[in-house]
Amino acid sequence: MNGAAIAIDARCQTSMRNVWAIGDLSGEPMLAHRAMAQGEMVAELIAGHSREFNPVAIAAVCFTDPELVVVGKTPDTAQQEGLDCIVAQFPFAANGRAMTLESRSGFVRVVARRDNHLILGWQAVGVGVSELSSAFAQSLEMGARLEDVAGTIHAHPTLGEAVQEAALRALGHALHL
Ligand SMILES: Cc1cc2nc3c(=O)[nH]c(=O)nc-3n(C[C@H](O)[C@H](O)[C@H](O)COP(=O)(O)OP(=O)(O)OC[C@H]3O[C@@H](n4cnc5c(N)ncnc54)[C@H](O)[C@@H]3O)c2cc1C
């Protein structure tokens, strides 16, 4: 055991041969998409493939009003790990799609390493931001830097433009502020 959870290794293997544990009983984060990814991996392991469960980040979303998304490191967790980071925030008050949705409150925030601009985390608050969680997770899994997101053309008017603007702002180039 690992506290109240069943102890597993990076392949969800338990201390018993040919017994794997996935999902909530294997501990935090207790999220459906983590459980599903673990289950898929274990099925592939049993089928003889070589796999390991080693995500850079697993998105946490609160389906509240407004919605909240946290992916990867926050400014606090980055600081606790002794990382020198740039933190930049872009408000939905300056985002065209948020205006058409009549919900200008909230923001997108990015955390990136100061030395090489590697993106370490995203946080967002606002209407519909759960839909941004995929882009956040993708950027972390792909090892994106601020320049990658800032240099990607984002469709207008979308909430995603606030993601690009947060990256631009971290680089000192925000257009709509
Ligand atoms: C109210 C609520 C809201 C949530 N909202 C979200 C969300 O928005 N997004 C998100 O990612 N996650 C959410 N979660 C968490 C998510 O539901 C869990 O992380 C996920 O279901 C874990 O999957 P699991 O397979 O580990 O467990 P479960 O989905 O709980 O599946 C375990 C299964 O085992 C069965 N079982 C238990 N004991 C036995 C037994 N002795 N014999 C046979 N069968 C047994 C149970 O009946 C159940 O069907 C929420 C959880 C709750 C409670």
Side-chain angles (χ1 to χ4, degrees):
M1 298 294 287
N2 178 15
I6 293 177
I8 53 167
D9 65 11
R11 303 166 84 220
C12 290
Q13 180 84 51
T14 67
S15 60
M16 292 176 72
R17 189 156 42 90
N18 290 337
V19 177
W20 292 263
I22 64 155
D24 289 3
L25 58 70
S26 66
E28 296 285 350
M30 295 186 189
L31 294 166
H33 40 291
R34 169 182 175 259
M36 186 168 154
Q38 287 177 317
E40 196 183 318
M41 178 197 71
V42 169
E44 289 195 11
L45 286 171
I46 292 168
H49 300 289
S50 178
R51 286 284 309 272
E52 206 169 81
F53 192 73
N54 192 20
V56 176
I58 299 173
V61 181
C62 292
F63 291 90
T64 43
D65 184 12
E67 293 177 346
L68 307 165
V69 179
V70 177
V71 188
K73 297 186 198 308
T74 64
D76 285 347
T77 54
Q79 193 181 24
Q80 283 159 16
E81 292 177 27
L83 295 164
D84 184 19
C85 289
I86 307 171
V87 177
Q89 190 165 309
F90 189 83
F92 282 121
N95 174 269
R97 184 60 178 144
M99 289 179 197
T100 65
L101 292 169
E102 297 181 346
S103 184
R104 300 177 188 202
S105 59
F107 59 86
V108 174
R109 184 169 67 188
V110 66
V111 181
R113 285 179 65 123
R114 193 177 302 280
D115 56 357
N116 60 10
H117 296 173
L118 181 71
I119 297 172
L120 301 174
W122 294 97
Q123 299 86 46
V125 182
V127 68
V129 295
S130 58
E131 298 300 331
L132 301 178
S133 63
S134 310
F136 293 160
Q138 271 174 11
S139 72
L140 294 182
E141 290 294 343
M142 296 180 80
R145 293 164 198 268
L146 291 169
E147 288 82 352
D148 295 318
V149 177
T152 301
I153 297 172
H154 287 64
H156 176 79
T158 63
L159 296 178
E161 285 177 289
V163 178
Q164 182 184 18
E165 293 270 16
L168 280 164
R169 199 167 191 204
L171 295 168
H173 303 305
L175 295 173
H176 291 96
L177 269 185

